[in-house]
Amino acid sequence: MKPHSGTLVIDIIGGEKADAYEGVYQCTAHNQLGSALSNHIIIRQSRSPLWSKERLSPIVAQEGQSLILHCRPPAGLPPPIVFWMDHNFHRLPQSRRVSQGLNGDLYFSNVLMEDSRNNYICYARFPHTQTIQQKQPITVHVIDHKPVDERAPVFLVPSGSLSSQMVLRGEVLELECIADGLPTPAVSWTKLSGEIPGRRAALMNFNKTLRITDVSEADAGEYRCTAGNRLGSVHHTIRVSVKAAPYWISAPRNLVLAPLETGVITCRARGHPKPHIHWSMNGLPIEDAPKDPSRKVEDDSIIFSEVQTGSSAVYQCNASNQHGYLLANAFVNVLAEPPRVLTAPNKVYQVMENRPALLECLSFGSPVPAVTWFKDRHSGMLEGDPYVFHKNGTLEIHVSQAVNGGKYTCVATNNLGISENHVYLEVKEPTRILRPPEYRLVHRNRDVVFECKVKHDPSLIPSTSWLKDGGELPEDDRFRVHLDSLTITGVTESDAGTYTCVANTSLDQDSASARLTVVEAPPTPATIYGQPDAPTDLELTDPTARSVQLTWTPGDEHNSAIKKFLIQYEDGLHQSGVWLNLTEVPGTKTTAHLKLSPYVHYSFRVLALNGVGYSRPSVPSHQYKTNPAAPDENPSEVKGYGTEHNNLVITWKPLTGLQANGPGLQYTVRWRQQGVEKDWTSVSVANVSKFVVSGTPTFVPYEVMVRAQNAYGPGPEPAAVIGHSGEDFPSAAPGPVQVVVLNSTLAEVHWEHVPQRSVRGRLQGYKVHYRRERSLHRHNSHHGEQRSESFGPNRTRGKLPDLHPFSAYSLHVTAFNSRGEGPASATQRFETPEGVPGVPSFFRVSASDLDSLTLEWAPPHERNGRLTGYTLRYQTVNSSHDLGLLDEMDLPSNQSSVTLHNLHHSTRYKFYFSAKTQQGSGPALTEEAVTILHRAMVSPQVDIATQGWFIGLMSAIALLILILLIVCFIKRNKGGKYPVKEKEDAHGDPEVQPMKEDDVTFGEYR
């Protein structure tokens, strides 16, 4: 153990084995006042065992069948992380068809030829020891000796139709469903007893794994995974139960008691199963601890009555169940201690006028001292408005005024003594910009000055800074900042913008902005227009409880007539420092009759507006305070509605501070069931805009009203608003359901209205859920598509469009309201008649001869009925793409090829081929083919001009002719004789005609 520490160091050196130190450790700290215990600390040695040796035979699988490659890694501590790779350490690609399960096995929903390989290797990585073990490679051979029929899904994992899984609260829940099937099934998840939590849930491993983090008790229930392909679907239900290791509701806390005092320590925990509470004292079970008549154990609490000096101890609470435990220490200190004030003496608090002040008086003592406050020691104990006393001894003044400044004394007292401390409160004047910068319209290359005269508390040191367009001023010598102004010399177009003066002190700040516009200098002098000067001499006359008369003197208009005056006010009680628009008057008036609200500390100022802009504000008037009164109005937008089947939520738009008319604003919420209850039920609430009434009947009308009241009385009697409690799911299914089949793709469903009492809300309409069960033709595959159509609440019939012909369908009808759908009607089944078939699966020319063509085809995928045959039409196509006469022939439904004889050789034909049922022919496939020129041409549609050998031959002949022409041209230009000619001259062949010198052609050689 480290000296002067509770840390235990286990240093394994030499030949010692780590497993010798495995076990459960617990630390105990004790002194003369008691003993405290730590939680259990479990030490286990990390293990990464080797894979057992095994001989793995190659696995032979038929293409299309499912396959499972088992990993079965060795058990390690902690468990290994499993993954599959090849011998080059490349991860094996996974998909919806091939994926790794939670147990590490590799699952194939169906195998393909490409899955053949000899290097399927399962690796196990042990994270603590940073080692990786590998299984012997697995060889898989995929064969295709016989085709495998498509099949509906079957689950590989888990087995059966129902399983269960337990998870602990706060842990991660992983549910897995992996299916076999061809085509590869798609997996989806639903929760039968509620909704899957959206934020904590994630679908992983190609939707095969549902992962929910931070599990709570609400996640318990039945989860259904569905695997489906076009041949059908299969379901598996997993029943999830959530247990919980103990967790704290209220852990025991340290307790300081004076002699003869009474106290309680409480240990409350929850869990599933319910935790067992066991108490210990100084590490000993409470039943084995020394007896103490002042101590009484009652389940999760220990009650101390009239405790005695010397009975201090550390108590341990252990809350445990089969899934874990909690341990907490609580020191019960029986102490007799006179008061001590912990706040630093002579501390100075500085606060701005009209802002709240908090003066601390932290104290300690046993018994707990009572704290009282005095001001300047000349008056009695402070109490009542404007003071608020907090439990920790802090004194609060909501709205600080200059008269609140001074020396304050807090006194902490108990039966063992008294202690006091002095603090000082300084109330400072707020920082104000008296002369803010004004809008400037300046000619280019002129100078401009922005003023910013600041008033501040004399004891605070102010600092003034300037901003341009919200950022720092440009680094330019033309910008000169003075004590109360900003000067820009030689302005340019880039200097235009908004300039802001910011006045700061250590406690507050104020700011004001003005815009600078730069224009070209006029060619001739012009009249200078400017903003008006601020009004002056504000005076309040004719004061009443709800009104006052304001008069003022206009400032200079600066060559632009004043259009209007804007009167603003500041509420020094509720929104100090914020100026709001009150009213406007024409520019010809200099008085205004102002309507006021109760419980407001008004200050007024006036701004003048002319064609250039607003003046700066006038100096504010002196403050005018109106007396509190009862509210003049009630909250607006009162509504009543339900969010659950057994509640009524009442909401309203609360009054503003100006509308409150006085302190202590509350709302009286009243409600009663319309036509049933005579008396109102009411409750008073404050600082909220919603109240929930629980335990109401489902969807019944309620009269609700909300009335404002303050310390001076209630507001006017409000009008009642009609609302409804919450809806519940409809309890009845629509009446007898009938289906009328209109044609092969359209059906009409008829039902009867559900009884109004069963709707249990406002009926939103009806939903028809229908599903194609199968095709009526034995060759077609089954389908399981689920569709629905919604219809209005007044409808008792509806049409189902886009149905598949010659198919069997099932349907049911539900009623729904805003809560959801009710129970389904009895399932109805119907069949659609035949329709015209779809296009044939394929249509091609398989053989060609001089005067015949062989055609092949396959039936349509969508037969839509019983095939009665096929229709083949064809015609010739000449080189100009003109079409010849159309021939037509009917073919039986069981035939899949035909040979057409007596056709013209080397002729192009165009074919139109369609299937038909009793309802007519479906869409046709077209194909073109050419009869061959002679029998050596084996391909019926090969153009010789496009064949490689023919192109090469023609190219060689052309090249040879070109070379001969070049040689002849060269010889002729040299004037010589051909070697043949020389030989003929030497032999004197009489049959050779000599070439004349004047002849321009060669002699003919015979």
Side-chain angles (χ1 to χ4, degrees):
M1 184 181 296
K2 285 187 177 181
H4 311 294
S5 166
T7 302
L8 177 65
V9 179
I10 300 176
D11 190 4
I12 302 174
I13 57 176
E16 293 184 284
K17 293 185 178 181
D19 56 7
Y21 294 95
E22 290 187 333
V24 180
Y25 293 75
Q26 188 173 36
C27 171
T28 302
H30 58 87
N31 61 16
Q32 67 271 20
L33 295 179
S35 300
L37 304 180
S38 73
N39 284 315
H40 291 160
I41 302 170
I42 301 174
I43 296 180
R44 299 281 303 276
Q45 181 187 359
S46 175
R47 293 178 173 84
S48 53
L50 297 175
W51 230 297
S52 59
K53 296 294 184 179
E54 55 182 340
R55 294 179 60 86
L56 301 176
S57 302
I59 298 174
V60 179
Q62 173 65 41
E63 183 180 17
Q65 293 291 350
S66 61
L67 177 63
I68 303 175
L69 301 184
H70 296 290
C71 178
R72 300 190 181 103
L77 188 65
I81 299 170
V82 175
F83 50 93
W84 289 80
M85 296 196 295
D86 59 17
H87 60 271
N88 293 321
F89 294 97
H90 295 150
R91 284 191 178 264
L92 297 178
Q94 298 190 25
S95 63
R96 196 159 56 92
R97 184 180 63 86
V98 183
S99 62
Q100 178 181 318
L102 295 176
N103 63 354
D105 292 347
L106 192 62
Y107 293 86
F108 296 76
S109 294
N110 52 78
V111 295
L112 302 177
M113 296 300 295
E114 63 194 46
D115 296 327
S116 294
R117 61 165 68 212
N118 59 1
N119 54 2
Y120 286 96
I121 305 174
C122 180
Y123 290 84
R125 181 169 67 88
F126 297 88
H128 196 75
T129 60
Q130 294 298 313
T131 58
I132 296 178
Q133 308 285 355
Q134 77 171 60
K135 187 183 180 75
Q136 290 294 324
I138 300 175
T139 299
V140 174
H141 295 302
V142 181
I143 59 176
D144 60 349
H145 289 172
K146 59 180 179 179
V148 175
D149 293 335
E150 293 184 350
R151 61 187 180 278
V154 175
F155 281 119
L156 298 172
V157 171
S159 60
S161 61
L162 180 66
S163 60
S164 60
Q165 190 165 334
M166 188 274 287
V167 64
L168 291 182
R169 177 182 181 271
E171 295 188 351
V172 176
L173 171 64
E174 288 185 322
L175 305 178
E176 181 181 55
C177 283
I178 302 177
D180 157 26
L182 185 65
T184 302
V187 178
S188 62
W189 293 86
T190 56
K191 186 179 180 183
L192 301 181
S193 53
E195 295 183 356
I196 296 175
R199 294 184 179 179
R200 294 182 293 109
L203 292 174
M204 309 177 73
N205 196 22
F206 309 98
N207 287 11
K208 300 176 185 179
T209 301
L210 173 61
R211 190 173 192 266
I212 301 177
T213 59
D214 192 18
V215 170
S216 68
E217 288 82 352
D219 296 322
E222 293 186 347
Y223 292 78
R224 171 177 288 180
C225 62
T226 302
N229 60 16
R230 61 171 175 260
L231 298 183
S233 61
V234 65
H235 308 288
H236 183 90
T237 301
I238 304 175
R239 192 168 292 154
V240 174
S241 59
V242 178
K243 305 293 185 181
Y247 57 94
W248 287 121
I249 299 301
S250 175
R253 297 183 179 181
N254 296 337
L255 182 63
V256 178
L257 297 175
L260 302 180
E261 275 193 333
T262 298
V264 178
I265 57 173
T266 303
C267 174
R268 291 178 182 159
R270 287 181 184 165
H272 188 60
K274 181 180 179 181
H276 172 70
I277 304 296
H278 182 265
W279 290 95
S280 299
M281 187 186 100
N282 295 331
L284 294 175
I286 194 73
E287 54 271 15
D288 299 334
K291 303 300 180 182
D292 186 347
S294 67
R295 181 183 66 221
K296 181 180 180 182
V297 179
E298 291 187 358
D299 195 18
D300 58 2
S301 301
I302 299 181
I303 303 172
F304 299 91
S305 304
E306 299 184 353
V307 294
Q308 300 297 320
T309 304
S311 58
S312 298
V314 179
Y315 290 86
Q316 290 82 33
C317 171
N318 184 306
S320 62
N321 64 14
Q322 63 195 65
H323 302 296
Y325 79 97
L326 295 171
L327 178 67
N329 294 277
F331 177 37
V332 178
N333 189 6
V334 180
L335 180 67
E337 184 76 19
R340 283 181 293 152
V341 177
L342 305 179
T343 301
N346 301 316
K347 185 174 182 180
V348 178
Y349 294 90
Q350 293 181 332
V351 66
M352 301 308 298
E353 190 175 8
N354 297 320
R355 299 287 179 86
L358 294 170
L359 310 182
E360 292 183 346
C361 184
L362 303 178
S363 63
F364 176 78
S366 182
V368 176
V371 176
T372 53
W373 283 89
F374 300 86
K375 184 175 186 295
D376 298 330
R377 268 302 190 185
H378 300 305
S379 60
M381 183 175 64
L382 299 181
E383 58 184 354
D385 196 45
Y387 304 107
V388 177
F389 303 94
H390 294 272
K391 290 183 178 180
N392 64 354
T394 299
L395 171 65
E396 180 179 359
I397 304 174
H398 275 314
V399 182
S400 301
Q401 301 294 330
V403 297
N404 299 128
K407 177 182 177 181
Y408 287 80
T409 302
C410 75
V411 178
T413 307
N414 67 12
N415 58 4
L416 298 179
I418 186 172
S419 176
E420 67 177 36
N421 188 43
H422 306 294
V423 296
Y424 297 85
L425 175 62
E426 297 178 356
V427 180
K428 307 293 184 181
E429 294 182 23
T431 303
R432 297 286 179 85
I433 296 177
L434 297 181
R435 187 175 298 169
E438 299 178 352
Y439 172 79
R440 289 287 185 264
L441 179 69
V442 182
H443 296 139
R444 188 163 58 89
N445 297 323
R446 299 284 183 89
D447 297 345
V448 65
V449 177
F450 287 111
E451 287 187 300
C452 184
K453 187 171 182 59
V454 180
K455 180 184 178 183
H456 61 89
D457 191 278
S459 65
L460 299 177
I461 300 176
S463 64
T464 303
S465 59
W466 288 85
L467 305 174
K468 179 179 184 293
D469 295 329
E472 295 183 357
L473 291 177
E475 295 183 2
D476 193 326
D477 294 338
R478 297 183 298 108
F479 291 81
R480 301 172 186 172
V481 178
H482 304 285
L483 180 62
D484 54 5
S485 66
L486 167 67
T487 301
I488 308 174
T489 60
V491 297
T492 65
E493 287 84 352
S494 63
D495 297 332
T498 300
Y499 290 83
T500 303
C501 171
V502 181
N504 287 285
T505 67
S506 59
L507 296 179
D508 70 339
Q509 72 168 34
D510 194 13
S511 63
S513 301
R515 185 160 184 81
L516 172 63
T517 302
V518 181
V519 297
E520 288 289 340
T524 56
T527 303
I528 298 176
Y529 300 96
Q531 296 165 286
D533 288 343
T536 58
D537 303 328
L538 272 67
E539 185 177 359
L540 298 175
T541 59
D542 301 332
T544 68
R546 296 290 183 105
S547 68
V548 72
Q549 187 85 5
L550 174 66
T551 61
W552 63 89
T553 301
D556 193 331
E557 295 181 345
H558 291 292
N559 301 314
S560 179
I562 294 177
K563 297 180 180 180
K564 64 180 179 180
F565 292 98
L566 172 63
I567 301 172
Q568 296 180 326
Y569 74 95
E570 175 199 36
D571 182 358
L573 179 62
H574 301 105
Q575 288 183 294
S576 178
V578 179
W579 287 93
L580 302 173
N581 295 340
L582 180 60
T583 186
E584 294 177 349
V585 297
T588 57
K589 290 188 175 183
T590 59
T591 63
H593 186 75
L594 307 179
K595 294 182 178 180
L596 309 179
S597 297
Y599 197 53
V600 179
H601 294 179
Y602 283 101
S603 296
F604 302 99
R605 70 183 187 183
V606 183
L607 294 85
L609 175 69
N610 65 6
V612 178
Y614 276 103
S615 70
R616 56 186 174 83
S618 68
V619 175
S621 70
H622 69 266
Q623 195 174 72
Y624 181 73
K625 301 180 180 179
T626 56
N627 294 322
D632 295 327
E633 56 185 309
N634 291 307
S636 58
E637 301 180 16
V638 178
K639 299 176 183 177
Y641 56 90
T643 57
E644 299 291 341
H645 69 90
N646 59 350
N647 77 357
L648 173 68
V649 180
I650 304 173
T651 61
W652 59 91
K653 183 179 180 181
L655 300 184
T656 64
L658 193 63
Q659 296 170 314
N661 287 4
L665 178 64
Q666 290 185 330
Y667 302 102
T668 300
V669 185
R670 295 191 289 175
W671 68 92
R672 68 181 177 185
Q673 189 174 340
Q674 187 182 29
V676 176
E677 297 174 341
K678 182 178 179 181
D679 296 328
W680 294 86
T681 303
S682 64
V683 65
S684 294
V685 295
N687 302 319
V688 297
S689 60
K690 181 176 73 172
F691 183 77
V692 180
V693 181
S694 301
T696 65
T698 300
F699 196 69
V700 296
Y702 274 85
E703 296 177 86
V704 298
M705 59 176 64
V706 181
R707 189 179 192 179
Q709 67 179 38
N710 59 23
Y712 291 82
E717 182 71 19
V721 175
I722 304 301
H724 283 79
S725 57
E727 300 185 13
D728 202 350
F729 298 102
S731 60
V737 177
Q738 296 179 338
V739 183
V740 178
V741 179
L742 302 179
N743 56 44
S744 61
T745 61
L746 182 66
E748 186 174 66
V749 184
H750 298 251
W751 62 87
E752 292 183 2
H753 284 302
V754 293
Q756 182 59 41
R757 64 180 181 276
S758 70
V759 176
R760 300 202 286 187
R762 289 187 179 90
L763 181 63
Q764 301 284 329
Y766 298 90
K767 286 187 180 180
V768 179
H769 300 272
Y770 59 103
R771 173 192 183 93
R772 187 187 183 196
E773 299 287 350
R774 58 188 176 85
S775 169
L776 295 177
H777 197 283
R778 59 185 178 85
H779 294 290
N780 279 24
S781 59
H782 293 185
H783 296 268
E785 53 182 333
Q786 181 78 38
R787 298 169 61 185
S788 64
E789 296 285 343
S790 296
F791 304 96
N794 297 324
R795 298 281 297 274
T796 57
R797 66 175 63 186
K799 293 182 179 180
L800 307 181
D802 302 325
L803 301 178
H804 289 276
F806 206 55
S807 299
Y809 278 86
S810 64
L811 64 78
H812 61 265
V813 184
T814 62
F816 67 96
N817 56 24
S818 61
R819 189 73 188 276
E821 296 183 50
S825 66
T827 301
Q828 299 294 318
R829 288 179 168 78
F830 65 94
E831 296 179 355
T832 53
E834 294 188 9
V836 297
V839 296
S841 300
F842 68 85
F843 174 63
R844 58 174 173 252
V845 179
S846 61
S848 177
D849 209 336
L850 284 174
D851 59 352
S852 66
L853 291 171
T854 299
L855 311 176
E856 293 181 349
W857 61 88
H861 290 301
E862 295 292 339
R863 303 195 181 195
N864 296 340
R866 296 179 179 85
L867 294 183
T868 59
Y870 300 94
T871 300
L872 174 65
R873 295 180 296 161
Y874 59 95
Q875 58 191 151
T876 59
V877 182
N878 62 20
S879 59
S880 301
H881 300 287
D882 295 329
L883 300 175
L885 294 177
L886 192 64
D887 290 326
E888 181 175 328
M889 61 186 301
D890 291 328
L891 300 169
S893 60
N894 59 355
Q895 189 169 334
S896 60
S897 64
V898 66
T899 300
L900 303 179
H901 299 283
N902 301 323
L903 302 178
H904 302 293
H905 66 82
S906 188
T907 301
R908 180 173 295 276
Y909 284 86
K910 186 171 185 178
F911 299 95
Y912 311 88
F913 189 78
S914 62
K916 59 184 178 180
T917 64
Q918 291 181 354
Q919 298 299 317
S921 297
L925 288 177
T926 62
E927 186 67 46
E928 292 189 17
V930 180
T931 53
I932 63 176
L933 182 63
H934 53 78
R935 297 189 183 280
M937 308 284 291
V938 295
S939 177
Q941 292 182 341
V942 174
D943 189 347
I944 192 172
T946 63
Q947 300 301 300
W949 64 269
F950 180 75
I951 296 172
L953 178 62
M954 292 298 101
S955 299
I957 294 174
L959 181 61
L960 182 59
I961 294 174
L962 179 62
I963 293 173
L964 290 175
L965 290 175
I966 293 172
V967 171
C968 292
F969 181 73
I970 293 173
K971 284 295 184 179
R972 179 169 179 265
N973 287 344
K974 288 183 178 181
K977 297 180 180 179
Y978 284 102
V980 177
K981 176 62 178 172
E982 294 172 358
K983 291 181 181 179
E984 289 172 346
D985 291 343
H987 290 85
D989 191 341
E991 295 197 36
V992 175
Q993 299 294 330
M995 183 179 68
K996 298 179 181 180
E997 293 181 3
D998 297 335
D999 202 348
V1000 294
T1001 60
F1002 292 103
E1004 183 178 0
Y1005 180 76
R1006 297 174 180 166

